[in-house]
Amino acid sequence: MKKRILSAVLTLTMAVGLLAGCGGSKTASWTVTCPWAPSGVAAMVSQKAASMSTNYSKNIILVADAIKGDAATVNTWVADTKADDTELVFAGEGLFSITPILDPAKLQFTYDDFVFVENLYSSVFVMSADASLNINGMSDLETYLAGADEISVAANGATSSEAFLAAALFGSMGYGEKLKITPYSSAAEAAQAVARGETSFAVSHQSQILETFQQGGVTIVCAFDGEDIADGEFAGVEGVGKYGYPYFRNRCFVLARSGTKAETVSELKKLYDDILADAEMASWLGDTMMLEVDTMSEQDVQDHIQNVQNIVNEYYDIVVN
């Protein structure tokens, strides 16, 4: 009798344990693919976010991975993933606004192949100038342009976000026909070209030109934003939007595969939002990377994509020709 009672108790205990195990959440590692330079801004922010993921979730661990290749990397990612795979990927205005207009054959995907999770950061690009030109703001720039035969600008690629920002600025100022965009293989290299005297100007992330600015090799002419830069080393640098010139911020969208369960996407979004709300993360982004926390909605994303497409269409001839 005692044996039968003991057996029944053990059976019940095992059943309860199995039920608890089935109902419990499993920890999943989510690989976050950055399709740009492994040492670049997006890859660095991804690594930082991944290192903080276990502070805010017991169910999701972010694992940062950088595979340089831009459209080709994302093509492969789309081909190799399906709904609910534990995979995330980055994309931005380059892949959703610029390449579809300039070279759609490069893309084997559309925005509909993804579901938006969160925007990792916003970067306000700045334009620097060779220090010998003594251009310290928009007024100085106007004076310089009036007498310039050619306007040479270094950019990360011939048809990059930086290239279109330069085209939009000089085109809207009436000097598009004088613009010469000199492409470089990385954003950091382009940022340094102006200090080496290879170009008169460069468009770059703020962090990529900071050291050269501190050493006196360049001046900072303007920021591609609606208002002046408010904080940091470049506080007070004028935003081109104040003068009615077009602009956009550089953004980094975190995306899952389309069809991924809504509750999973919500959990991922909450994780990223919690990480981005962390004081350590916000401070590191602002002070070290010179970026901004800029969480977005799906409508914000669509508005950004459309704004950049409008700029690309308007200044296409300046960049391509």
Side-chain angles (χ1 to χ4, degrees):
M1 181 68 176
K2 288 182 179 179
K3 287 183 179 180
R4 286 200 298 271
I5 293 173
L6 179 59
S7 177
V9 170
L10 288 172
T11 300
L12 179 61
T13 301
M14 290 175 65
V16 171
L18 285 170
L19 287 171
C22 291
S25 298
K26 294 181 179 179
T27 300
S29 293
W30 284 73
T31 300
V32 186
T33 298
C34 171
W36 307 302
S39 60
V41 168
M44 293 173 68
V45 179
S46 184
Q47 286 281 1
K48 181 70 172 179
S51 72
M52 299 178 69
S53 61
T54 54
N55 296 344
Y56 291 100
S57 178
K58 295 179 180 179
N59 303 327
I60 298 173
I61 299 172
L62 301 177
V63 180
D65 188 23
I67 306 173
K68 187 176 182 179
D70 201 32
T73 298
V74 181
N75 285 339
T76 300
W77 186 93
V78 170
D80 292 348
T81 60
K82 60 184 184 299
D84 294 315
D85 281 354
T86 55
E87 299 280 343
L88 298 171
V89 69
F90 292 162
E93 65 273 353
L95 291 174
F96 292 134
S97 301
I98 299 175
T99 305
I101 295 173
L102 268 64
D103 196 358
K106 278 187 176 180
L107 304 179
Q108 297 169 20
F109 59 84
T110 68
Y111 186 81
D112 291 339
D113 289 305
F114 309 92
V115 58
F116 174 69
V117 175
E118 188 52 275
N119 180 48
L120 190 60
Y121 61 79
S122 281
S123 175
V124 176
F125 281 127
V126 293
M127 187 170 75
S128 54
D130 186 325
S132 66
L133 299 177
N134 197 31
I135 302 174
N136 295 289
M138 293 299 290
S139 177
D140 290 342
L141 180 63
E142 287 274 12
T143 301
Y144 170 81
L145 294 177
D149 294 324
E150 181 180 86
I151 304 163
S152 58
V153 181
N156 176 25
T159 58
S160 60
S161 294
E162 295 95 321
F164 272 98
L165 285 169
L169 176 61
F170 292 114
S172 61
M173 294 178 77
Y175 297 98
E177 74 284 354
K178 294 184 178 182
L179 179 62
K180 176 187 176 184
I181 296 171
T182 303
Y184 288 83
S185 59
S186 73
E189 186 181 356
Q192 299 308 311
V194 63
R196 295 193 297 265
E198 296 172 12
T199 62
S200 297
F201 302 95
V203 177
S204 68
H205 289 285
Q206 295 175 49
S207 60
Q208 291 165 335
I209 201 65
L210 175 61
E211 184 176 357
T212 305
F213 168 74
Q214 291 173 330
Q215 293 171 348
V218 297
T219 59
I220 306 302
V221 180
C222 60
F224 292 96
D225 206 21
E227 301 294 336
D228 297 352
I229 294 178
D231 302 303
E233 287 276 352
F234 298 147
V237 171
E238 294 180 292
V240 299
K242 289 199 318 180
Y243 295 87
Y245 300 130
Y247 67 91
F248 58 85
R249 290 183 169 200
N250 171 242
R251 288 181 163 116
C252 180
F253 304 142
V254 183
L255 305 166
R257 194 67 163 90
S258 61
T260 297
K261 294 183 182 68
E263 56 266 32
T264 302
V265 175
S266 294
E267 189 174 2
L268 287 163
K269 180 175 176 59
K270 183 180 185 306
L271 173 57
Y272 271 101
D273 286 348
D274 287 344
I275 292 170
L276 293 170
D278 187 291
E280 176 191 340
M281 182 64 162
S283 176
W284 179 80
L285 278 174
D287 298 340
T288 302
M289 301 303 295
M290 304 181 80
L291 304 170
E292 294 184 22
V293 173
D294 186 14
T295 55
M296 298 174 72
S297 67
E298 175 66 31
Q299 187 58 55
D300 293 332
V301 172
Q302 293 302 322
D303 291 345
H304 176 69
I305 291 172
Q306 187 61 58
N307 176 50
V308 180
Q309 285 178 346
N310 293 342
I311 289 173
V312 171
N313 283 321
E314 184 166 356
Y315 299 99
Y316 176 96
D317 289 341
I318 294 175
V319 172
V320 174
N321 297 330

